[in-house]
Amino acid sequence: MDLAFTAEEQKFADDVRTFVKANLPADVRDKVKNGKHLGRDDYMRWQQALGKKGWLVYTWPKKHGGPGFTPAQRYIFENVCAEEYAPGIIPFGTKMVGPVIYTFGSDEQKAKFLPAIRESTVWWCQGYSEPGSGSDLASLRTKAEKHGDHYIVNGSKTWNTMGHWADWIFCLVRTDPKAKPQEGISFLLIDMKTPGITVKPIIMADGGHEVNEVFFDNVKVPVANLVGKENEGWTCAKFLLANERLGIAAVPQSKRGVEALKDIARAEQDNGKPLIENPSFAEKIADLEIQVTALEFTELRVLSQMAQGGQPGPEVSGLKIRGSEIQQRITELTMEAVGEYAAPYLPGLLWHGSNEEPVGPEYAHLTAPRYFNTRKTTIYGGSNEIQKGIISKMVLGL
Ligand SMILES: Cc1cc2nc3c(=O)[nH]c(=O)nc-3n(C[C@H](O)[C@H](O)[C@H](O)COP(=O)(O)OP(=O)(O)OC[C@H]3O[C@@H](n4cnc5c(N)ncnc54)[C@H](O)[C@@H]3O)c2cc1C
């Protein structure tokens, strides 16, 4: 694999940087730079700018309205956006349901849903997990019963990320209770404004409202919103999960996190010297950087296999495990670096500020909430224990 960028690729990197500098709203950039919470409108303004340029769905092939980036362009795009403090693109439409619709959906569904995803005028959320059906997803019980030209949906979903901002939800529902667990599931698109849907917040360890419970009480959904065939939704579900895990590695964001950690280690004193001059701490940062670089090369290998026509396979489980552990490690070392300043933790600071004045240097204020928030990465997208199970079965043949 030749890793040097061509002159054309370098020109592409310059074009992306010029575009981001000109189109990323300054207030959104500042929030990302300072690790603050972003609202729906912040994400939408940036995503709509990308949509106008045709870059929002940068992973999609040209025939579905994507820009048809090569793996190198995709890599450059993600890295330049992260370096310029652009927010991460919300994946529920762009990387999850969009590819499911263009792969398994009808022509009518493609015409109805894909343009709004490309332009970011509709916010999607993911309705997979249920109370008691997370790792064992195929045991899900939310049921959809067919009545003529519509289904009646009853049940509940949980851990629904940003569902309180969503216009639509894609759901796995049970359409055949008598079939084997994986065989009786269907993939349904549901308008969140449909009567009978209730969204209730779940407050996370950092004090923020990011996830929800969603309840369905006799919700009427047109049969036209079924993607693929009835009872064959598990195929869509697995396809979507592989794409989800690929995105969770978050290498560009981790590179940015390591740089921020180094800045703190340069500012923090240890016996009168910058912490970064402490050999033991410097070694921890070096170890982390090596891990990020190794993950980056592994991700590039997977992307170049996909460019040759492959679908993401069990390798994405490895990316998910290492990527999520690295994100957590960054927050752990940052806690260590800021030391006692992380202790007076103000719940909710990351999300809605606090009436109390935080103490210590500004860079330390959000360290504890970010540490607590990042505990989620080894759980969502399929827990890391489950990913290890997939690797042992599919790669090691155990
Ligand atoms: C912040 C956050 C956001 C999320 N967002 C969404 C969302 O938008 N939409 C959505 O549908 N879901 C979402 N999820 C749900 C997520 O996918 C599940 O939490 C995850 O799949 C684990 O399921 P569970 O929570 O039911 O845990 P359980 O499945 O009950 O697992 C509990 C523990 O047991 C371990 N375990 C379970 N089975 C095995 C096994 N076979 N082998 C080894 N260990 C095992 C797990 O690793 C875990 O440590 C989100 C979760 C979080 C934390």
Side-chain angles (χ1 to χ4, degrees):
M1 189 164 57
D2 182 5
L3 291 170
F5 290 127
T6 62
E8 256 173 57
E9 286 161 352
Q10 279 163 9
K11 156 99 180 44
F12 174 73
D14 292 342
D15 290 348
V16 175
R17 200 173 301 280
T18 306
F19 176 83
V20 180
K21 280 187 190 299
N23 290 281
L24 176 62
D27 57 324
V28 177
R29 182 182 193 277
D30 285 351
K31 281 187 183 174
V32 174
K33 186 160 187 206
N34 297 312
K36 297 214 170 116
H37 164 63
L38 272 69
R40 176 186 151 117
D41 174 63
D42 297 322
Y43 286 108
M44 282 304 218
R45 279 184 288 150
W46 169 233
Q47 294 193 170
Q48 287 173 2
L50 282 174
K52 275 199 191 112
K53 177 79 178 161
W55 284 351
L56 177 61
V57 292
Y58 67 96
T59 56
W60 293 17
K62 268 194 171 151
K63 69 172 170 176
H64 298 302
F69 284 172
T70 61
Q73 285 178 317
R74 181 172 163 166
Y75 168 86
I76 290 167
F77 176 77
E78 288 176 349
N79 276 272
V80 173
C81 287
E83 283 161 21
E84 293 296 329
Y85 301 101
I89 292 170
I90 300 298
F92 303 113
T94 56
K95 293 187 180 166
M96 296 190 189
V97 77
V100 166
I101 292 172
Y102 69 63
T103 306
F104 302 99
S106 64
D107 287 343
E108 291 73 25
Q109 288 168 341
K110 288 178 201 167
K112 178 171 177 186
F113 295 108
L114 297 184
I117 297 175
R118 286 195 297 260
E119 291 154 21
S120 193
T121 50
V122 163
W123 191 291
W124 283 87
C125 66
Q126 179 184 28
Y128 270 31
S129 308
E130 296 182 7
S133 303
S135 303
D136 182 17
L137 188 58
S139 68
L140 62 92
R141 283 170 301 163
T142 293
K143 64 177 178 189
E145 289 169 315
K146 206 190 246 171
H147 293 264
D149 63 354
H150 61 266
Y151 292 101
I152 296 292
V153 179
N154 279 291
S156 68
K157 297 286 173 183
T158 193
W159 301 118
N160 178 263
T161 301
M162 298 170 181
H164 51 305
W165 292 341
D167 304 300
W168 282 76
I169 182 169
F170 55 88
C171 278
L172 294 178
V173 290
R174 186 155 299 286
T175 34
D176 184 354
K178 294 197 197 89
K180 283 188 198 157
Q182 283 90 344
E183 289 171 11
I185 290 173
S186 299
F187 194 101
L188 267 192
L189 311 176
I190 306 179
D191 185 337
M192 291 290 278
K193 289 187 293 301
T194 320
I197 298 182
T198 313
V199 180
K200 289 193 180 161
I202 300 174
I203 301 304
M204 298 205 347
D206 65 0
H209 177 194
E210 181 176 333
V211 286
N212 302 277
E213 293 176 282
V214 182
F215 298 91
F216 299 86
D217 181 12
N218 288 321
V219 175
K220 201 172 165 184
V221 182
V223 170
N225 291 4
L226 171 76
V227 181
K229 293 196 181 127
E230 193 177 76
N231 299 325
E232 292 184 13
W234 194 244
T235 311
C236 303
K238 284 191 299 183
F239 170 87
L240 184 146
L241 282 173
N243 285 327
E244 179 179 359
R245 282 165 197 156
L246 185 62
I248 288 177
V251 176
Q253 287 73 17
S254 285
K255 282 162 76 178
R256 199 167 64 193
V258 173
E259 289 311 312
L261 170 62
K262 281 190 198 163
D263 285 344
I264 291 175
R266 286 186 193 107
E268 276 292 316
Q269 297 291 305
D270 176 46
N271 296 328
K273 280 187 182 171
L275 184 59
I276 203 151
E277 289 180 22
N278 171 330
S280 157
F281 199 77
E283 197 180 312
K284 289 179 190 171
I285 295 184
D287 179 56
L288 183 63
E289 251 184 320
I290 291 166
Q291 290 183 39
V292 174
T293 308
L295 182 69
E296 183 171 30
F297 279 80
T298 310
E299 188 176 63
L300 281 169
R301 265 205 319 270
V302 173
L303 286 178
S304 78
Q305 279 162 18
M306 283 170 65
Q308 285 151 30
Q311 279 300 323
E315 307 86 339
V316 293
S317 295
L319 288 175
K320 197 266 160 170
I321 294 169
R322 297 303 294 135
S324 55
E325 287 173 351
I326 286 170
Q327 288 168 64
Q328 293 190 340
R329 182 71 181 141
I330 292 170
T331 62
E332 285 153 16
L333 284 184
T334 310
M335 288 284 273
E336 201 177 320
V338 305
E340 69 273 21
Y341 293 128
Y345 161 54
L346 301 175
L349 191 61
L350 180 60
W351 294 81
H352 35 70
S354 170
N355 294 331
E356 292 174 63
E357 192 54 36
V359 294
E362 198 178 348
Y363 61 72
H365 296 169
L366 294 177
T367 299
R370 264 193 237 122
Y371 169 85
F372 288 119
N373 186 277
T374 308
R375 299 306 96 195
K376 67 190 176 189
T377 61
T378 46
I379 303 170
Y380 64 28
S383 74
N384 284 17
E385 290 79 17
I386 292 296
Q387 304 313 310
K388 286 176 189 167
I390 293 173
I391 293 172
S392 70
K393 227 188 249 168
M394 298 185 68
V395 181
L396 306 174
L398 299 174

